[in-house]
Amino acid sequence: MSSRRSRSRQSGGSRITDDQINDLVSKLQQLLPEIRHSQSDKVSAAKILQETCNYIKNLHREVDDLSERLSELLASSDTAQAAIIRNLLMQ
């Protein structure tokens, strides 16, 4: 019995099969631009998980940067322009 299965049973959670894990890893691979476009069809699950973590971290950085730029834009805009931008964001 694998340690994954024994941990699952000990935690009382529902058991996940190797096929389900493989399917989820494959879905993650399709979401990652770096790996999705790679020439090799066979990429390890560990590499896919690592790239997923890196991708999410980069997305967080981009959101933070864009939020900061938007705040600066709103602070420097006149009130009419800022109101228009706020209205667009609320939709």
Side-chain angles (χ1 to χ4, degrees), residues 21-86:
I21 291 171
N22 291 336
D23 184 51
L24 292 170
V25 168
S26 178
K27 287 177 182 177
L28 279 176
Q29 182 177 4
Q30 294 305 309
L31 295 172
L32 298 171
E34 295 276 330
I35 294 179
R36 182 178 56 216
H37 300 320
S38 74
Q39 300 298 330
S40 171
D41 287 338
K42 188 67 178 163
V43 179
S44 73
K47 171 112 175 121
I48 292 169
L49 293 173
Q50 183 62 51
E51 289 299 321
T52 300
C53 290
N54 293 339
Y55 187 61
I56 291 170
K57 286 177 191 175
N58 287 334
L59 288 175
H60 279 286
R61 271 190 230 113
E62 283 186 46
V63 167
D64 290 343
D65 290 345
L66 290 171
S67 295
E68 185 176 328
R69 288 173 53 195
L70 180 59
S71 294
E72 291 169 0
L73 177 66
L74 288 173
S76 67
S77 298
D78 65 37
T79 20
Q81 286 179 329
I84 292 169
I85 293 170
R86 284 189 187 95

